[in-house]
Amino acid sequence: MLVAPSILSADFLDLGSEVRSICEAGCDYVHIDVMDGHFVPNLTIGPVVVDKVAKIASKPLDIHLMVENATFFVDLFAPCKPEFISVHIEEEKHLHRLINHIRNLGIRPSVVLNPHTSEESLKYILPDVDMVLLMSVNPGFGGQRFIPNTIEKIQNLKNHIATKNPHCLIEVDGGVSDKNIDLLKNAGADIVVAGSYVFGSPDYAKAIASLR
Ligand code: DX5
Ligand code: ZN
């Protein structure tokens, strides 16, 4: 299991040392939640901060855009050279074009589904993405409770992936902890995002290892 701690739950007054700590603690990616106050009722960080994070992180960035007008934000964050940029299917009218645009920038494209969005909606985009990010909480805030029907969604998605794009990864985001990690692994998740579980723990290395 690959682990991507979300810095949304980090101490923002000490962000540099928090990012260094999770990288040294053995995370696989640094998950960055970008919120615009429109697509979700919260506001986080922009490219000025993410650029600094990119410079000190020894692990690749995994940027999760929770925004309207995603194309504008993709271009804004592309210079930070993330490994992945994830865009929500609910927001984008021209998803196929945007996914290709992300790939042409040299970034691995990923599509995100909110809890109410069916995995069936991925039918014609699955061959073009490197990852699907399944939200297991409603996006906007850290520290929420895991929505149980995500497990069934992972299993269904795993079947679609097997026929349409076997290299596509499944990432799960929201309410992940040592309590549900076995269920997530058995269902077929490849990467988990964990914010409050990792940053709320006294020992980041131990928390990451418990998910791995
Ligand atoms: C929610 C974010 C998540 C969040 C996860 O909108 O996308 O990445 O930070 O936080 P936890 O792990 O605390 O649910
Ligand atoms: Zn996220």
Side-chain angles (χ1 to χ4, degrees):
M1 180 67 81
L2 300 170
V3 182
S6 162
I7 61 165
L8 190 60
S9 296
D11 177 358
F12 271 64
L13 287 179
D14 207 2
L15 189 57
S17 92
E18 290 276 70
V19 171
R20 274 194 202 98
S21 297
I22 50 162
C23 291
E24 284 163 14
C27 73
D28 297 284
Y29 298 101
V30 177
H31 186 83
I32 313 257
D33 289 306
V34 176
M35 305 184 188
D36 68 348
H38 296 278
F39 181 67
V40 286
N42 199 359
L43 201 57
T44 57
I45 52 177
V48 174
V49 176
V50 176
D51 188 54
K52 300 283 184 209
V53 170
K55 286 198 169 77
I56 60 146
S58 58
K59 301 293 169 66
L61 303 190
D62 168 33
I63 297 185
H64 174 192
L65 295 180
M66 285 159 274
V67 298
E68 290 180 359
N69 194 4
T71 306
F72 169 77
F73 285 88
V74 164
D75 290 340
L76 211 56
F77 286 97
C80 301
K81 299 199 179 315
E83 173 95 3
F84 294 103
I85 290 187
S86 299
V87 293
H88 273 261
I89 198 168
E90 297 85 8
E91 172 50 28
E92 189 50 45
K93 290 193 189 79
H94 303 284
L95 187 62
H96 185 265
R97 179 187 290 152
L98 179 56
I99 290 296
N100 284 319
H101 179 59
I102 294 171
R103 196 178 293 288
N104 289 336
L105 289 166
I107 299 163
R108 301 176 73 188
S110 157
V111 64
V112 196
L113 304 188
N114 270 336
H116 73 278
T117 306
S118 170
E119 64 285 355
E120 303 287 339
S121 62
L122 293 168
K123 188 170 177 188
Y124 296 108
I125 200 68
L126 206 47
D128 299 297
V129 295
D130 283 6
M131 184 164 84
V132 174
L133 170 48
L134 296 179
M135 290 310 299
S136 40
V137 297
N138 288 295
F141 304 94
Q144 303 180 79
R145 195 187 292 258
F146 181 85
I147 298 172
N149 67 14
T150 310
I151 298 296
E152 181 188 325
K153 211 163 161 181
I154 299 169
Q155 291 164 338
N156 293 341
L157 177 58
K158 195 77 185 166
N159 292 333
H160 296 321
I161 282 177
T163 55
K164 293 209 173 282
N165 180 1
H167 298 296
C168 181
L169 298 166
I170 301 178
E171 183 174 48
V172 180
D173 184 1
V176 172
S177 73
D178 57 347
K179 304 276 181 296
N180 50 25
I181 194 69
D182 288 340
L183 277 173
L184 291 167
K185 180 69 195 168
N186 293 336
D190 302 293
I191 308 178
V192 285
V193 176
S196 49
Y197 176 68
V198 170
F199 285 100
S201 146
D203 184 338
Y204 296 171
K206 225 177 179 176
I208 291 168
S210 74
L211 299 177
R212 195 184 304 294

